[in-house]
Amino acid sequence: MRSIPDVLVLGGGGRQGDAWMSGVLAGLEDSHEVSFADCEYMLGTSAGSIVAAKLASGRRLKRPDPEAEADRAADDSAEPERECEPLPEALFASALRLVEPFTGAGLLLATLPGELARSAALAMVPTSAVETLDFAAAFPPEKVSFDGRLRMAAVERSRGRRVIFGAPDAPPATVAQALRASCALPLVFGPTLIDGHEYFDGALWSPTNADAAPASRGSEVLILAPMASHHGPFLKAVRVASRALLLVEAAALRGHGAKVELITPDRASAQAIGADLMAADGLDATLAAGYRQGLHLAA
């Protein structure tokens, strides 16, 4: 990353993804002495919506404990591992480059079948919740609002359609309401009711929804995708599918003339995140791993 991007896209990834993205961005900020709050647009999905809302509200992202990081740096003088793109993915990415101008049209053609499939699936999801979500105290209207920069992805239950709260054609909602909708993971949280419609987690449409980013020719787009790492132990099938969709969405943005950079968890970050993205344990370790990755990316 050479400068602050015009558009910051933050994907879903549960509590662990929130910690990792916060760490990566904080590491990049400290290395370049910049603030991602200065991005022209921020698009969040699920956990990414929380990080985006923090930035939009002017809140400083959390950093790892300085003393613990100093001790770790003293004990670890090894060079950071370089990411190596697997051959199948390299071939897939090469093929996408050939059809970049048509990728957006392909995603558009898939919209209606996607809406029908999600509508049918969500109709069978119970409305009961294991946990509750409430962002009203953390993000009150007087602290943060949809000012044109901040956007959050969710899925409307009845029609299965993707809704980007904060976009010009979106239903009216407070940031706290949109956060609840974007983070409403089925079977864990109940749907969020906004203006008579129920909404679920935006990651049900896409782990990043990067193709919905307000990018045009020449725009610089940075995408953080916690679920699309090359490395485990998070479920491989989900990682592979997430990465494939991420590459397609990035190709669609490039087809519009945007410059796109992708960041996914490196091996150390993936190990810290673990197999359960919703786990509340180990968040400080994940934050620290993300912070170190951000510092290394900036080097």
Side-chain angles (χ1 to χ4, degrees):
M1 190 198 78
R2 297 178 182 177
S3 62
I4 291 297
D6 300 301
V7 185
L8 179 63
V9 178
L10 301 168
R15 297 184 179 96
Q16 294 291 329
D18 180 342
W20 173 76
M21 287 184 286
S22 296
V24 170
L25 294 176
L28 289 169
E29 285 186 337
D30 290 350
S31 294
H32 292 281
E33 297 183 348
V34 295
S35 171
F36 282 96
D38 294 332
C39 291
E40 185 176 358
Y41 295 106
M42 300 168 226
L43 169 61
T45 296
S46 197
S49 293
I50 300 174
V51 180
K54 292 176 185 176
L55 291 170
S57 65
R59 195 174 307 178
R60 187 173 186 268
L61 295 174
K62 186 179 180 181
R63 269 72 172 166
D65 178 69
E67 292 185 5
E69 280 301 287
D71 292 341
R72 188 215 62 82
D75 294 336
D76 183 10
S77 59
E79 288 290 322
E81 180 183 354
R82 297 292 180 184
E83 291 286 301
C84 183
E85 189 177 33
L87 181 59
E89 180 179 313
L91 294 174
F92 180 55
S94 297
L96 282 175
R97 279 192 284 273
L98 297 176
V99 296
E100 278 179 356
F102 311 103
T103 309
L107 287 170
L108 186 61
L109 288 173
T111 297
L112 181 57
E115 290 177 348
L116 293 174
R118 287 167 178 81
S119 175
L122 291 175
M124 297 184 289
V125 174
T127 58
S128 58
V130 177
E131 301 182 39
T132 58
L133 284 170
D134 188 356
F135 295 102
F139 299 99
E142 62 270 19
K143 294 290 185 181
V144 61
S145 62
F146 286 116
D147 58 1
R149 296 188 309 146
L150 179 61
R151 306 189 178 192
M152 301 176 183
V155 174
E156 185 185 338
R157 182 179 191 176
S158 61
R159 289 188 280 180
R161 67 180 183 121
R162 177 173 66 183
V163 173
I164 306 296
F165 288 101
D169 59 347
T174 66
V175 168
Q177 288 175 323
L179 276 170
R180 285 187 62 194
S182 188
C183 296
L185 183 66
L187 304 181
V188 179
F189 306 110
T192 298
L193 185 66
I194 299 177
D195 195 26
H197 297 276
E198 292 183 328
Y199 295 90
F200 273 113
D201 197 315
L204 296 175
W205 188 272
S206 161
T208 64
N209 291 285
D211 60 305
S216 56
R217 182 166 299 279
S219 296
E220 294 187 359
V221 182
L222 176 62
I223 306 173
L224 271 65
M227 298 171 65
S229 175
H230 289 302
H231 313 288
F234 182 57
L235 190 63
K236 184 175 182 179
V238 176
R239 288 189 287 111
V240 170
S242 297
R243 195 165 186 93
L245 185 53
L246 172 63
L247 293 175
V248 172
E249 292 176 344
L253 291 174
R254 293 189 181 105
H256 291 305
K259 302 173 184 178
V260 183
E261 183 175 353
L262 311 177
I263 300 178
T264 61
D266 61 12
R267 190 179 300 277
S269 291
Q271 288 294 323
I273 290 171
D276 182 5
L277 298 180
M278 292 299 295
D281 296 332
L283 294 178
D284 286 343
T286 300
L287 175 75
Y291 185 77
R292 293 193 295 270
Q293 184 177 353
L295 293 177
H296 291 154
L297 286 169

